[in-house]
Structure formats: structure tokens, C-alpha cells
Amino acid sequence: QKEVEQDPGPLSVPEGAIVSLNCTYSNSAFQYFMWYRQYSRKGPELLMYTYSSGNKEDGRFTAQVDKSSKYISLFIRDSQPSDSATYLCAMSPEGTGGFKTIFGAGTRLFVKA
Amino acid sequence: EAQVTQNPRYLITVTGKKLTVTCSQNMNHEYMSWYRQDPGLGLRQIYYSMNVEVTDKGDVPEGYKVSRKEKRNFPLILESPSPNQTSLYFCASSGGQSNEKLFFGSGTQLSVL
């Protein structure tokens, strides 16, 4: 079993839809939970960053972490064609400077105009 | 502009011919790392470095070498490339132990024939 499980999709939605992306994990030591967005032929860029459990909102994006269920989510409201990308969940233990970050396989999202 | 620069972007080579992929960051980051990205497998860490002259193996180090002689540079060396090393490679850096955010380069697409 992988430490981080993520459905690779692809996920295709119409413009304006609410998108839900999810990951599950098995390592209870993870404390930092992140979502990276990767456009085609580009490197991943950090989109959302959460420490421990709870919700975090940034514009149209909301990240949720449920440590009791070992489940994290990213919601995109009013999705736009420019949101079409691969979304990678990522998580790491406390204080490792990112070098123990484990990534999900990524979910490809297509938002149709 | 803060960035991680990788070169080359595309590389086609033959089995056994030594190659080096360069990586440089201008953010004075302590931590640097190399990943490979394969379909369905996500990002897997090859090697990482916590500072100059300090390197360690990641999850898939076989067939790769690294060095960290200067803080800004972290080259990836394939001394005898094989076809199973055909992949998309990313270099990343972060600010250190209390900072989990990773900055990625634009990637190097390597094909080993």
C-alpha cells in the first residue's frame, strides 16, 4: 500500500462547477499537508499549505484536512478553464524542511469552457 | 526573480553515455532535492541535500549520483544511463527545517535509447 493514495483521474467538469479532489494517507506522523498545481510541461507550484487539521481558504480554493480519517481534500469553486492542470497532494512530517515530503500520483483536471 | 533553473529541458541520449543535469537556485536555500516523475507513480525522490557537502539517498537512488559543492548548485549525474531512467526529472529547493514549501524547476525530459 502506498503512503499516499490519490485517484489519477482524469476528471472533466464544465466551467463553473465545484471540483473536489481527495487524497488518503497511512502515516500518522504527517503534520504538513499541501496541494501543488502542475501545468503541462511545467514544474509543480505550491497552491495550498495546511498545518495539522482544519480548513484553509484562499480565494476559490479550500483545503481540508481530517487527520482522524487520514483524508485531505481540495475544493475549487467556480472552476475556470485556467484551472485545468494536474493537482498533486503532498504531505510531510514535522520540521523536515520538505525533504521528507511524500507526493500523491496527481489528479488530472480538465475544465471545459 | 526567485527561481530554480534546470538544464537542459530536453535530453536524448544512448545507454551508457554519462550525462549531467544541472540545477541552480538563487534563493540561498539550504535544502535541495531531485525527483523523477513517472505516469501513475507521481514524484519520487532520488537524492536530497540538507546543505553543502551533505547529501542523502531518497526513495529511488540507484543509478544516480549527486554532489553539493556550492549552496546554489545541485547537479544530478547519471554515469551509465539505462532505458529505465527515461523520465521527467525535477529539481526542488526549500528554505530549511521549518519551511516545508518546495520550489521546483521546470523539469528535464530525459530519454535513454
Side-chain angles (χ1 to χ4, degrees):
Chain A
Q1 182 190 7
K2 293 180 183 177
E3 273 192 290
V4 178
E5 298 276 3
Q6 183 177 10
D7 187 337
L11 181 62
S12 183
V13 301
E15 184 176 358
I18 296 175
V19 176
S20 173
L21 304 169
N22 311 292
C23 288
T24 59
Y25 64 96
S26 58
N27 189 345
S28 57
F30 290 143
Q31 295 288 345
Y32 292 89
F33 301 91
M34 295 149 284
W35 288 93
Y36 284 82
R37 180 174 60 195
Q38 184 178 16
Y39 290 113
S40 181
R41 300 190 187 90
K42 298 285 189 183
E45 292 179 296
L46 184 66
L47 184 62
M48 297 289 284
Y49 176 101
T50 308
Y51 176 73
S52 195
S53 283
N55 294 358
K56 187 172 185 179
E57 187 173 322
D58 184 1
R60 296 184 294 109
F61 299 89
T62 300
Q64 288 185 350
V65 176
D66 182 349
K67 290 184 69 179
S68 62
S69 302
K70 295 190 175 65
Y71 188 88
I72 71 170
S73 301
L74 177 70
F75 297 95
I76 307 174
R77 291 183 298 280
D78 187 24
S79 56
Q80 302 295 309
S82 58
D83 296 327
S84 297
T86 296
Y87 291 81
L88 301 152
C89 63
M91 33 202 94
S92 65
E94 185 92 39
T96 57
F99 60 81
K100 291 297 186 185
T101 301
I102 304 296
F103 290 86
T107 300
R108 291 192 70 188
L109 172 66
F110 296 95
V111 181
K112 299 170 291 185
Chain B
E1 181 190 353
Q3 60 184 2
V4 177
T5 304
Q6 284 179 239
N7 281 297
R9 287 294 308 274
Y10 302 94
L11 181 57
I12 301 174
T13 190
V14 295
T15 299
K17 186 175 182 182
K18 181 179 178 179
L19 66 92
T20 300
V21 184
T22 63
C23 174
S24 180
Q25 50 91 6
N26 64 0
M27 295 167 279
N28 200 36
H29 280 172
E30 293 178 354
Y31 160 64
M32 297 184 75
S33 182
W34 277 101
Y35 296 86
R36 60 177 290 173
Q37 187 175 37
D38 301 288
L41 297 177
L43 284 162
R44 294 180 294 166
Q45 191 180 56
I46 302 170
Y47 269 94
Y48 63 92
S49 169
M50 294 167 64
N51 215 323
V52 175
E53 302 292 359
V54 180
T55 63
D56 207 348
K57 297 177 181 179
D59 299 317
V60 288
E62 293 78 21
Y64 304 95
K65 283 180 59 177
V66 293
S67 68
R68 187 96 180 271
K69 292 184 171 56
E70 304 168 282
K71 198 171 187 178
R72 63 182 292 127
N73 296 325
F74 191 45
L76 179 69
I77 303 158
L78 284 73
E79 296 215 324
S80 184
S82 62
N84 64 10
Q85 293 178 298
T86 293
S87 186
L88 179 58
Y89 291 86
F90 289 102
C91 179
S93 71
S94 81
Q97 199 163 23
S98 60
N99 190 338
E100 304 295 317
K101 178 179 178 180
L102 292 169
F103 292 81
F104 284 87
S106 296
T108 296
Q109 179 64 58
L110 172 66
S111 296
V112 183
L113 306 177

